[in-house]
Amino acid sequence: MQTSWADLATNSAPEIAGASNTTAPSRPVYVPPHLRNRGASASTESSSAPPPPNVSTDNNAGSRWGAPRNGWGNRSGGWDRREVNPFEDQENAAEEGGAAFGEEQGNTGINFDAYEDIPVETSGENVPPPVNTFAEIDLGEALNQNIRRCKYVKPTPVQRYGIPISLGGRDLMACAQTGSGKTAAFCFPIISGIMRGQGQPLQRPPRGARTVYPLALVLSPTRELSMQIHEEARKFSYQTGVRVVVAYGGAPINQQLRELERGVDILVATPGRLVDLLERARVSLQMIKYLALDEADRMLDMGFEPQIRKIVQQMDMPPPGARQTMLFSATFPKEIQSLASDFLSNYVFLAVGRVGSITDLIVQRVEYVQESDKRSHLMDLLHAQRENGVQGKQALTLVFVETKKGADALEHWLCRNNFPATTIHGDRTQQERELALRSFKTGNTPILVATDVAARGLDIPHVAHVVNFELPNDVDDYVHRIGRTGRAGKKGLATAFFNDNNASLARPLADLMQEANQEVPDWLSRYAARSTFGGGRNRRNGGGRFGGRDFRREGSFSRGGSGYYSTGNNSGGYGTSGGYGGGFGPGVTSAWD
DNA sequence: AAAAAAC
């Protein structure tokens, strides 16, 4: 059941009343986005929070938001009158007669047909039912307009299921990949909730000079991913009055501080920089109403657990239950389960089949290449690729290597041989990283050599070819890497260079390719058969289509009784098919059986 | 073993 605005308003009425009636006139006044930008009755009481939000004398906050009379869809909304139009690039591209790659739909269009067969499972108490259209969700006119601007026609599975869960006020543990529409799935409820006033502070910020009090926090593992989430969130919140700020390391902190001081509702951050900001007391988490952790398993892999626990449990963030938490992870191993039980309160578990990474949209090839032959072999591939350029530009090729040094060396070699290449890895300055990514995305440098910093989450449209110049040791990393192509329903090619150094990957790689209906070379099958004694040590987590399953189903947590689990696949189309977007063989029935 | 992430 969808919770209505009236219910939400009633539930939070005491908080709102408490907050707005005890206002001492001389204090900085928090004005929720839905009350901002009402006429010109500007208050000048705060000198510490420029520009001062307009304070409305109209206390009729109960008017259904989105009502046209307030006109908060107009251009000057929110904290920041100088809000830059995040859709500008896209509009310019459209005027120039299509993007650089000759698309009519801009670069955010998603081929939704590719999502039709994706299996979805939910479990937990009283799971809110999924929706089929954005129109069924009461997101408000401003947000709806941004959805149209983004050219989203139809919600993806993680959105169909996840948004009603979050809008219903529930915590969410979601197993889903990037490329599944995750960012919108957690941004829409956050933005909508803040606009509804659900993010209203329970108490005034203390007079502490330059501390800011975001209402929502989004954590992600890499700087580039944070940037990407920020860019998307800015589109979703355009002209809603909700302000999104990003903070990550490697970039000058002063600029980020200035952005924060201009006001922040949603803070997107990498853990290290956020801890820094918290220790400097420039950010306080005491007003946090929404917490989203993206790529949680990746963050743990990278050793972020202490910092994440510090941020969530040892600073001033409200406890589970007093905030709404959304935990996203591609897999659901023990460490994530423990994070889930510590950070979430009576959550709904949602698992969405892999999207865009392991479908038949990606043609996977494995070639046996000795180390000494790899460079010339790569050159052959790139020459072939050149023929496939669109509009005079070479198709984008992403080349993965294992080490930072290896990335630099390969880039230099490619450049020396007149291949336009650049590289992204952790030893480059943030400026260099961002330049490299931009240059690659625009097609100016159509070859990008990367370490695993670029393996997860990054959404680069038009990557035609992913080359695993050096294969990772973990097949999950392979899955993430090749997922950089074949995105948004488009076709992609993934080529891997395999040799004796990758013996441990033979079995899981062959299995994976078989599951995805790919042609497995005989030599690889033989290789895999030889390494059978390995005993599946490198088998993929949980086996099958989902990254994990709700461990509460497996005993300890179970409360018995009927109706505890409610599967969400009762609304035709999802979860019922035995196949997997054509990608998985008939032998696989359901990961849940 | 290497990758990532704060100054």
Side-chain angles (χ1 to χ4, degrees):
Chain A
M1 252 316 133
Q2 190 182 325
T3 312
S4 73
W5 153 247
D7 294 338
L8 293 167
T10 308
N11 291 339
S12 58
E15 300 171 9
I16 294 171
S20 50
N21 291 341
T22 57
T23 306
S26 62
R27 294 220 180 144
V29 176
Y30 173 85
V31 179
H34 69 290
L35 292 178
R36 293 174 199 166
N37 183 42
R38 291 200 174 183
S41 59
S43 155
T44 51
E45 50 211 311
S46 164
S47 55
S48 61
N54 292 342
V55 176
S56 171
T57 48
D58 176 6
N59 236 358
N60 184 16
S63 65
R64 194 176 178 84
W65 57 278
R69 69 181 184 86
N70 292 325
W72 49 267
N74 66 26
R75 284 200 69 83
S76 57
W79 298 87
D80 181 12
R81 285 155 213 284
R82 289 163 295 174
E83 183 174 18
V84 178
N85 179 357
F87 297 99
E88 211 160 50
D89 289 352
Q90 165 184 327
E91 283 163 12
N92 290 344
E95 279 162 23
E96 287 160 22
F101 292 86
E103 256 186 328
E104 63 290 340
Q105 279 284 306
N107 58 11
T108 39
I110 290 180
N111 175 359
F112 286 90
D113 292 341
Y115 293 114
E116 284 303 325
D117 281 334
I118 290 167
V120 176
E121 292 275 358
T122 56
S123 57
E125 289 172 340
N126 301 317
V127 180
V131 293
N132 288 306
T133 63
F134 285 121
E136 288 173 59
I137 325 168
D138 189 16
L139 290 167
E141 193 36 51
L143 205 39
N144 282 339
Q145 209 175 327
N146 291 333
I147 292 171
R148 282 195 296 274
R149 288 181 176 122
C150 287
K151 303 186 167 62
Y152 292 174
V153 181
K154 210 172 138 187
T156 66
V158 71
Q159 294 163 2
R160 293 180 57 232
Y161 286 80
I163 293 174
I165 291 168
S166 297
L167 280 181
R170 299 290 297 277
D171 279 2
L172 175 66
M173 165 72 232
C175 286
Q177 310 269 320
T178 315
S180 58
K182 256 192 319 183
T183 311
F186 63 76
C187 282
F188 290 178
I190 291 175
I191 294 167
S192 149
I194 291 176
M195 289 170 73
R196 288 165 192 250
Q198 293 298 289
Q200 289 222 28
L202 298 177
Q203 57 198 92
R204 291 288 146 220
R207 285 206 40 118
R210 296 191 290 180
T211 310
V212 295
Y213 297 80
L215 305 174
L217 175 65
V218 179
L219 287 176
S220 91
T222 67
R223 299 165 181 174
E224 282 76 14
L225 198 50
S226 285
M227 294 172 52
Q228 182 180 299
I229 294 168
H230 173 239
E231 278 162 30
E232 281 194 75
R234 270 182 53 227
K235 291 183 181 175
F236 302 150
S237 61
Y238 182 52
Q239 292 184 343
T240 61
V242 175
R243 226 178 97 81
V244 191
V245 176
V246 67
Y248 51 81
I253 199 167
N254 282 331
Q255 199 181 327
Q256 292 174 4
L257 288 172
R258 272 199 302 279
E259 283 297 315
L260 287 169
E261 282 178 21
R262 288 168 67 193
V264 52
D265 296 303
I266 302 174
L267 177 59
V268 182
T270 49
R273 176 56 61 92
L274 178 61
V275 168
D276 190 4
L277 291 167
L278 291 169
E279 282 171 353
R280 293 178 191 219
R282 298 300 294 261
V283 171
S284 161
L285 302 176
Q286 78 183 66
M287 305 299 183
I288 291 293
K289 279 282 188 263
Y290 305 92
L291 169 66
L293 295 127
D294 202 12
E295 304 277 351
D297 50 353
R298 181 69 174 163
M299 291 203 273
L300 296 198
D301 284 348
M302 288 166 61
F304 280 153
E305 182 162 4
Q307 286 167 82
I308 290 171
R309 286 194 179 272
K310 176 171 183 169
I311 291 164
V312 177
Q313 297 178 307
Q314 289 151 40
M315 304 302 290
D316 51 354
M317 188 181 305
R323 57 164 201 259
Q324 222 182 310
T325 308
M326 293 165 266
L327 187 59
F328 289 84
S329 182
T331 58
F332 198 46
K334 278 226 153 29
E335 298 75 24
I336 297 290
Q337 292 173 19
S338 119
L339 219 54
S341 50
D342 291 345
F343 290 2
L344 304 173
S345 163
N346 185 28
Y347 60 90
V348 175
F349 180 90
L350 168 65
V352 178
R354 293 175 192 267
V355 183
S357 45
I358 296 294
T359 61
D360 47 6
L361 287 171
I362 303 174
V363 175
Q364 299 176 58
R365 285 196 201 138
V366 186
E367 292 167 4
Y368 195 93
V369 187
Q370 297 291 4
E371 290 299 328
S372 53
D373 297 335
K374 280 186 174 178
R375 285 183 174 183
S376 65
H377 200 76
L378 177 64
M379 196 187 268
D380 292 344
L381 293 178
L382 291 173
H383 274 302
Q385 198 73 34
R386 228 176 225 171
E387 318 298 311
N388 302 333
V390 182
Q391 290 188 358
K393 295 210 178 195
Q394 196 179 333
L396 302 190
T397 303
L398 182 53
V399 183
F400 280 104
V401 295
E402 277 297 272
T403 68
K404 297 179 277 196
K405 283 178 93 168
D408 278 335
L410 186 57
E411 182 224 12
H412 283 128
W413 182 83
L414 285 167
C415 289
R416 266 209 317 279
N417 287 279
N418 295 320
F419 285 99
T422 183
T423 179
I424 186 169
H425 60 70
D427 270 357
R428 302 200 82 194
T429 67
Q430 191 56 27
Q431 213 174 8
E432 289 170 325
R433 283 165 60 163
E434 288 169 24
L435 182 68
L437 198 55
R438 254 199 318 276
S439 174
F440 181 60
K441 278 184 175 178
T442 58
N444 288 333
T445 317
I447 302 165
L448 180 66
V449 183
T451 60
D452 269 333
V453 69
R456 294 205 189 201
L458 285 193
D459 189 29
I460 310 168
H462 312 294
V463 175
H465 195 176
V466 168
V467 178
N468 273 289
F469 191 85
E470 287 160 327
L471 276 162
N473 289 318
D474 189 326
V475 75
D476 279 322
D477 291 331
Y478 171 83
V479 170
H480 282 287
R481 286 179 177 188
I482 69 171
R484 296 316 97 206
T485 186
R487 297 186 69 76
K490 299 198 180 70
K491 284 181 195 158
L493 174 65
T495 306
F497 294 174
F498 184 101
N499 61 36
D500 292 354
N501 297 330
N502 311 112
S504 69
L505 199 66
R507 178 61 178 252
L509 183 59
D511 289 351
L512 182 90
M513 289 178 68
Q514 187 139 38
E515 280 179 40
N517 283 343
Q518 299 289 313
E519 206 175 306
V520 183
D522 285 342
W523 60 263
L524 184 62
S525 303
R526 287 196 297 272
Y527 225 109
R530 246 180 289 158
S531 55
T532 301
F533 56 85
R537 180 62 213 103
N538 213 353
R539 270 284 305 162
R540 275 194 305 140
N541 190 306
R545 306 175 282 189
F546 299 111
R549 51 188 296 163
D550 189 352
F551 71 101
R552 295 176 300 182
R553 298 177 74 145
E554 279 148 20
S556 60
F557 238 87
S558 175
R559 303 177 193 182
S562 62
Y564 180 59
Y565 308 112
S566 123
T567 51
N569 53 9
N570 46 5
S571 65
Y574 297 100
T576 47
S577 80
Y580 178 59
F584 282 80
V588 184
T589 49
S590 166
W592 305 95
D593 293 337

